[in-house]
Amino acid sequence: MHVDCSCASRRVKGGAEARGNIMPTLVMKFGGTSVANLDRIARASKRVALEVANGYDVIVVVSAMSGKTNELVGWVNETSPLYDAREYDAVVSSGENVTAGLMALRLQEMDIPARSWQGWQVPVQTTSAHANARIEGIPTDNINAKFAEGMKVAVVAGFQGISPEGRITTLGRGGSDTTAVAFAAAFDAERCDIYTDVDGVYTTDPRIVRKARKLDRIAFEEMLELASLGAKVLQTRSVELAMRFGVKLRVLSSFEEPSDNAGTLVCAEEDIMESNVVAGVAYSRDEAKMTLISVADRPGIAAAIFGPLADAGVNVDMIVQNISEEGRTDMTFSCPVDQVVRAQKAMEDAKAGGTINFHDLVADEGVAKVSIVGIGMRSHAGVAAKMFAVLRDEGVNIKVITTSEIKISVLIDRKYMELAVQALHDAFELEKSA
Amino acid sequence: MHVDCSCASRRVKGGAEARGNIMPTLVMKFGGTSVANLDRIARASKRVALEVANGYDVIVVVSAMSGKTNELVGWVNETSPLYDAREYDAVVSSGENVTAGLMALRLQEMDIPARSWQGWQVPVQTTSAHANARIEGIPTDNINAKFAEGMKVAVVAGFQGISPEGRITTLGRGGSDTTAVAFAAAFDAERCDIYTDVDGVYTTDPRIVRKARKLDRIAFEEMLELASLGAKVLQTRSVELAMRFGVKLRVLSSFEEPSDNAGTLVCAEEDIMESNVVAGVAYSRDEAKMTLISVADRPGIAAAIFGPLADAGVNVDMIVQNISEEGRTDMTFSCPVDQVVRAQKAMEDAKAGGTINFHDLVADEGVAKVSIVGIGMRSHAGVAAKMFAVLRDEGVNIKVITTSEIKISVLIDRKYMELAVQALHDAFELEKSA
């Protein structure tokens, strides 16, 4: 996956030295549950005040108050199922603006010079890929000018930016993490602390497996797989960006008392002394499996299918192609279940346009993905075989399999998801540290 | 009152001819109750579609879904009672953005080319008087370029703009009406239709007086007094602007079936054939009466008092000064009850700074204002005497009186407000048309 971010070129001039002072910069990101109401915004503001007292110029990145974005997305979907993504962005970005303003006000009440920044004011420059835009650059001039004038905290509305056409963009769900890491890279921040409602990264979701264990450290690569596989702690692109720019990333709870070894540090592989073969079990509940039946097979057919899907904003994940017989094949892919309508329309349009030809399109909206992840898998054989045996013993049918160097993913019926996660966590003894 | 709006200079080039087509422009404004939920947004969109079918290029100005702005204002007040108005604006403006995007989506679903516009995108240029900014100009280029490309409806987020410093501003409560009239002036619109939850302008609030009668026409001057006195149908500045730029203004209900003579036309005095001496009775419930006791009286003392109040954003309405005795006087003024804290702080600060000197500051937060308005009062004597007699007969004590050519206002205890409105409506026989 490619991350278009020219932040790197700005690191040298973006840092604390660029504004002629010696204050190091810290980025702190607060997710929706950490700013769910005014009390929590006040609590988060206290954390920020602590870091200001520690001598930092702070860039706070905030999400919308929890529930707000879902409410807005619901309204958009109800108004227009195949919505214009530019209007989706204009609507959905408003939640973060509210939080940013409220936190700036709260900090001002604590006598800390603070102001809010909406994406277009910074500006956070993004691509025009609405609802799923990528950050292309974050000029540091405007914010640094205010730091130089005495501002101690810039409260930035996460998840949003501005396109070259001057329209509001959003980075996709969870995009506030990406915003935070991109700011940390652009401003050469000492660390990027992601405050959330969990106290770190776990071997799996503790709501599913009670014995799940908090990891003190996790490698960027593992975190990347866990994030992309649906462990909702950190957004994928934020981890990619952090790895690429060497941003020290810490995940910690905004509900625990501050301490130096709180949370989980996401770091380079060489900074981790020992690790289990499998670091964690991840899942993604709301997947759909879609099969194009009897596709006319020819060179370029995959591009003809997945090009239109990408253009329609469908996030295709797993792809499986059957063996071709008599010039026809079945093509199966997975995507988030809420993109099924969109995917269907893109395929029907492509068929109507004559670029692809298929007999039928079958959607199975009742599947989930379960994965095991670990850098130790590189040097251990038999991990996949053990995973499949565990699932077989539980009577779970595997519908699709994909693998990478450090992960194995399977698509299964959604009703077996929790069972599969528990069984795999037990089998690989993840409750025990290495 | 002065309205800084350079829209006039843009009228010639802003109109339909400027974009090389022959479509006349119509401005339609929908208030909070008219866009309170998705169903109502759909209903309002149907109205817009009708006007597009009638051949108009339409500029729709929308408020926040009803209740949303109050919720946001509540959060701001709770977070920071003496808030930074710049952050207030950043927070409070978000409600309109949501409505604008949703209505654009709804119109697109009806196959009408529409897009949303936030204040900074137009841009709606305003002063830097945050929370109470004035529109200084509305360049028509951006929106006209899109009309020329085929856009039929521009859905503009009302109530907001951008300051010369690039911060978001708001126009004060009810500012969406002002936005609508300013757009009508800038784009030389054929008419500005204000859709609201009442079917026109009444002789008084029908919730208080059941016999209240809808007016078919009302003079700009009368509407201005009614609006500024608290009749919540139209915002004061919107009427001033309409009068100044000759914008045809119609107030009508979004809940009635369309008809040519719906609502109330706000028009020039000469377009009204006959009228009652008193056109209407207005009230403003949430007033406060503040008295600076024993102010050291000297030339310039009024400026020394009301300058800091204006700077603090206090909307002072009535002012009464007692006869000065031995170099000291009492100064009484009224303001909205929610600005009392702000006014007190401004006065204490001014006292501490040595620019004014007073013995005590007494706030009476339990008063309301009741007024009678009518251009016919210019040519009829004895109207004030009749008003005072009516209130005396009802046992209502008058605390402050102010008058203008076409209105008489009194401040009374809030508990007598409804009684006073009813008695005055009866006494001047407003249920009967002229």
Side-chain angles (χ1 to χ4, degrees):
Chain A
M1 197 178 284
H2 174 68
V3 176
D4 272 327
C5 181
S6 57
C7 312
S9 64
R10 296 201 170 80
R11 292 198 65 189
V12 177
K13 64 173 177 155
E17 289 128 45
R19 45 185 194 270
N21 66 25
I22 50 157
M23 295 298 186
T25 309
L26 186 71
V27 173
M28 305 172 73
K29 183 259 172 180
F30 293 93
T33 52
S34 303
V35 292
N37 54 45
L38 300 187
D39 282 346
R40 293 204 181 161
I41 289 173
R43 189 186 179 113
S45 300
K46 279 188 197 162
R47 290 273 174 152
V48 175
L50 275 181
E51 301 293 3
V52 170
N54 285 339
Y56 288 109
D57 280 351
V58 179
I59 295 172
V60 179
V61 174
V62 289
S63 298
M65 294 157 88
S66 62
K68 285 290 158 191
T69 302
N70 285 340
E71 179 182 58
L72 295 167
V73 169
W75 287 343
V76 168
N77 279 317
E78 195 178 333
T79 301
S80 178
L82 297 168
Y83 49 73
D84 176 350
R86 295 169 298 191
E87 299 300 344
Y88 170 96
D89 284 353
V91 171
V92 170
S93 59
S94 64
E96 280 71 15
N97 294 343
V98 172
T99 318
L102 291 175
M103 189 179 281
L105 286 166
R106 184 67 220 151
L107 289 163
Q108 289 177 0
E109 279 292 302
M110 300 162 76
D111 285 328
I112 296 171
R115 75 157 268 200
S116 68
W117 297 81
Q118 299 188 4
W120 59 273
Q121 290 177 316
V122 174
V124 177
Q125 299 161 338
T126 74
T127 61
S128 301
H130 284 274
N132 200 23
R134 285 172 185 281
I135 295 175
E136 297 217 303
I138 300 178
T140 55
D141 320 30
N142 288 343
I143 286 179
N144 273 342
K146 293 293 171 186
F147 274 136
E149 286 175 18
M151 175 181 73
K152 295 305 296 174
V153 183
V155 188
V156 174
F159 172 64
Q160 61 178 248
I162 181 169
S163 75
E165 294 78 27
R167 301 291 297 263
I168 294 166
T169 54
T170 67
L171 310 182
R173 300 308 294 267
S176 291
D177 290 340
T178 308
T179 304
V181 174
F183 271 86
F187 285 83
D188 198 15
E190 197 165 293
R191 205 173 60 243
C192 181
D193 285 346
I194 307 286
Y195 284 88
T196 179
D197 54 353
V198 296
D199 60 354
V201 179
Y202 275 71
T203 50
T204 195
D205 189 337
R207 289 170 299 187
I208 292 184
V209 181
R210 295 181 78 187
K211 289 184 292 183
R213 178 175 53 84
K214 196 196 87 171
L215 298 161
D216 291 331
R217 294 182 174 223
I218 187 169
F220 281 128
E221 292 85 348
E222 289 172 334
M223 192 63 228
L224 204 47
E225 293 289 4
L226 288 170
S228 66
L229 293 171
K232 286 163 187 165
V233 179
L234 277 176
Q235 208 263 345
T236 311
R237 269 188 282 163
S238 70
V239 183
E240 290 177 326
L241 267 186
M243 181 163 69
R244 182 155 157 199
F245 294 108
V247 171
K248 285 186 200 165
L249 197 56
R250 194 169 59 148
V251 177
L252 67 174
S253 166
S254 56
F255 303 103
E256 280 193 311
E257 287 308 306
S259 88
D260 281 345
N261 49 10
T264 299
L265 193 72
V266 189
C267 57
E269 195 175 329
E270 53 267 31
D271 294 333
I272 300 175
M273 299 299 284
E274 304 226 39
S275 69
N276 287 329
V277 176
V278 173
V281 181
Y283 66 88
S284 175
R285 189 188 301 269
D286 297 316
E287 298 289 312
K289 169 172 157 282
M290 306 195 70
T291 304
L292 288 161
I293 297 187
S294 189
V295 180
D297 195 10
R298 54 174 171 75
I301 185 64
I305 292 170
F306 296 106
L309 287 171
D311 293 344
V314 177
N315 296 313
V316 171
D317 177 21
M318 304 165 104
I319 297 175
V320 179
Q321 185 177 358
N322 281 8
I323 293 163
S324 181
E325 283 179 35
E326 296 176 358
R328 301 195 82 85
T329 185
D330 295 343
M331 187 77 83
T332 297
F333 61 89
S334 69
C335 70
V337 75
D338 62 0
Q339 296 178 354
V340 165
V341 173
R342 189 163 285 233
Q344 283 169 329
K345 182 170 190 304
M347 291 295 91
E348 296 298 339
D349 287 353
K351 187 179 185 182
T355 54
I356 57 172
N357 182 319
F358 57 87
H359 178 66
D360 200 3
L361 174 56
V362 180
D364 178 356
E365 304 192 26
V367 298
K369 184 169 60 166
V370 173
S371 311
I372 56 174
V373 173
I375 48 178
M377 287 163 63
R378 288 193 191 121
S379 48
H380 282 75
V383 177
K386 181 170 177 180
M387 178 183 191
F388 302 152
V390 168
L391 295 175
R392 179 202 58 208
D393 292 348
E394 298 289 345
V396 177
N397 186 35
I398 297 172
K399 301 190 164 207
V400 178
I401 300 169
T402 58
T403 62
S404 81
E405 234 190 339
I406 65 165
K407 76 135 197 254
I408 305 160
S409 299
V410 296
L411 219 54
I412 60 176
D413 276 336
R414 190 172 298 138
K415 62 185 172 188
Y416 295 127
M417 192 197 77
E418 302 202 358
L419 171 66
V421 171
Q422 285 166 348
L424 290 166
H425 198 275
D426 283 347
F428 288 101
E429 298 185 312
L430 300 190
E431 71 280 6
K432 300 178 189 165
S433 79
Chain B
M1 196 178 284
H2 175 67
V3 177
D4 271 327
C5 182
S6 56
C7 310
S9 63
R10 294 198 171 82
R11 291 199 66 187
V12 178
K13 65 172 175 157
E17 288 129 46
R19 45 185 195 273
N21 66 26
I22 50 159
M23 295 296 187
T25 310
L26 185 71
V27 173
M28 305 173 73
K29 184 261 175 178
F30 292 92
T33 52
S34 303
V35 293
N37 53 45
L38 300 188
D39 282 346
R40 292 201 181 163
I41 289 173
R43 190 185 179 113
S45 300
K46 279 187 197 164
R47 290 273 173 154
V48 175
L50 275 181
E51 301 293 5
V52 170
N54 286 339
Y56 288 108
D57 279 351
V58 179
I59 295 171
V60 178
V61 175
V62 289
S63 298
M65 294 157 86
S66 62
K68 284 290 157 189
T69 301
N70 286 339
E71 179 183 59
L72 295 167
V73 169
W75 287 343
V76 168
N77 279 318
E78 195 179 332
T79 302
S80 178
L82 297 168
Y83 49 74
D84 176 349
R86 295 168 298 189
E87 299 300 344
Y88 170 96
D89 284 353
V91 171
V92 170
S93 59
S94 65
E96 280 72 15
N97 294 343
V98 172
T99 318
L102 291 176
M103 189 178 282
L105 286 166
R106 183 69 220 150
L107 289 164
Q108 289 177 359
E109 279 291 303
M110 301 163 76
D111 285 328
I112 295 171
R115 74 158 269 198
S116 68
W117 296 81
Q118 299 188 5
W120 59 274
Q121 291 177 316
V122 175
V124 178
Q125 300 161 339
T126 74
T127 61
S128 302
H130 283 274
N132 200 23
R134 286 171 186 279
I135 295 175
E136 299 216 301
I138 301 178
T140 56
D141 319 32
N142 288 344
I143 285 180
N144 273 342
K146 292 293 171 188
F147 274 136
E149 287 174 18
M151 176 180 74
K152 295 304 297 174
V153 183
V155 189
V156 174
F159 173 64
Q160 61 179 251
I162 182 170
S163 74
E165 294 79 27
R167 301 291 298 262
I168 294 165
T169 54
T170 66
L171 310 181
R173 298 309 292 267
S176 291
D177 291 340
T178 307
T179 304
V181 174
F183 271 85
F187 284 82
D188 198 16
E190 196 165 294
R191 206 174 58 241
C192 181
D193 285 346
I194 308 284
Y195 284 88
T196 179
D197 55 353
V198 296
D199 59 354
V201 180
Y202 276 71
T203 50
T204 194
D205 188 337
R207 291 171 298 187
I208 292 184
V209 181
R210 295 180 78 187
K211 288 185 291 182
R213 178 174 53 85
K214 196 197 86 172
L215 298 162
D216 290 330
R217 293 181 174 223
I218 187 169
F220 281 127
E221 292 85 348
E222 289 172 334
M223 192 63 230
L224 205 47
E225 293 290 4
L226 288 171
S228 67
L229 292 171
K232 286 164 188 165
V233 179
L234 278 176
Q235 208 262 346
T236 311
R237 269 187 282 162
S238 69
V239 183
E240 291 176 326
L241 267 186
M243 182 162 69
R244 182 154 155 201
F245 294 107
V247 171
K248 284 188 201 168
L249 197 56
R250 194 169 60 149
V251 177
L252 66 174
S253 167
S254 55
F255 303 104
E256 280 193 309
E257 287 309 305
S259 86
D260 281 345
N261 50 11
T264 298
L265 192 73
V266 189
C267 57
E269 194 174 331
E270 51 268 30
D271 294 332
I272 300 177
M273 299 299 285
E274 304 228 38
S275 70
N276 288 330
V277 175
V278 173
V281 182
Y283 67 87
S284 174
R285 189 188 303 269
D286 296 317
E287 298 290 312
K289 169 172 158 281
M290 305 197 70
T291 303
L292 287 161
I293 298 188
S294 189
V295 179
D297 195 11
R298 55 174 171 74
I301 185 64
I305 290 170
F306 296 105
L309 288 170
D311 293 343
V314 176
N315 296 313
V316 171
D317 177 22
M318 303 164 102
I319 298 175
V320 180
Q321 184 175 358
N322 281 7
I323 292 163
S324 181
E325 282 179 38
E326 296 178 0
R328 301 195 83 84
T329 184
D330 295 343
M331 187 78 82
T332 297
F333 60 90
S334 70
C335 70
V337 76
D338 62 0
Q339 296 179 353
V340 165
V341 173
R342 188 163 287 232
Q344 284 170 329
K345 182 169 189 306
M347 291 296 89
E348 296 299 339
D349 287 352
K351 188 179 185 181
T355 54
I356 57 173
N357 182 317
F358 57 87
H359 177 67
D360 200 2
L361 174 56
V362 179
D364 177 356
E365 303 192 24
V367 298
K369 185 169 61 165
V370 173
S371 311
I372 55 174
V373 173
I375 49 179
M377 286 162 66
R378 287 195 192 119
S379 48
H380 282 76
V383 178
K386 182 170 177 180
M387 179 182 190
F388 302 152
V390 168
L391 294 176
R392 178 202 59 207
D393 292 348
E394 298 290 343
V396 177
N397 187 36
I398 298 171
K399 301 190 163 204
V400 177
I401 300 169
T402 58
T403 61
S404 82
E405 234 190 336
I406 65 164
K407 76 136 199 252
I408 305 160
S409 299
V410 295
L411 219 55
I412 60 176
D413 275 335
R414 190 173 297 139
K415 63 185 173 188
Y416 295 127
M417 192 197 76
E418 303 204 358
L419 171 67
V421 171
Q422 284 166 347
L424 290 167
H425 199 275
D426 283 347
F428 288 100
E429 298 186 313
L430 301 192
E431 72 281 7
K432 300 178 189 167
S433 78

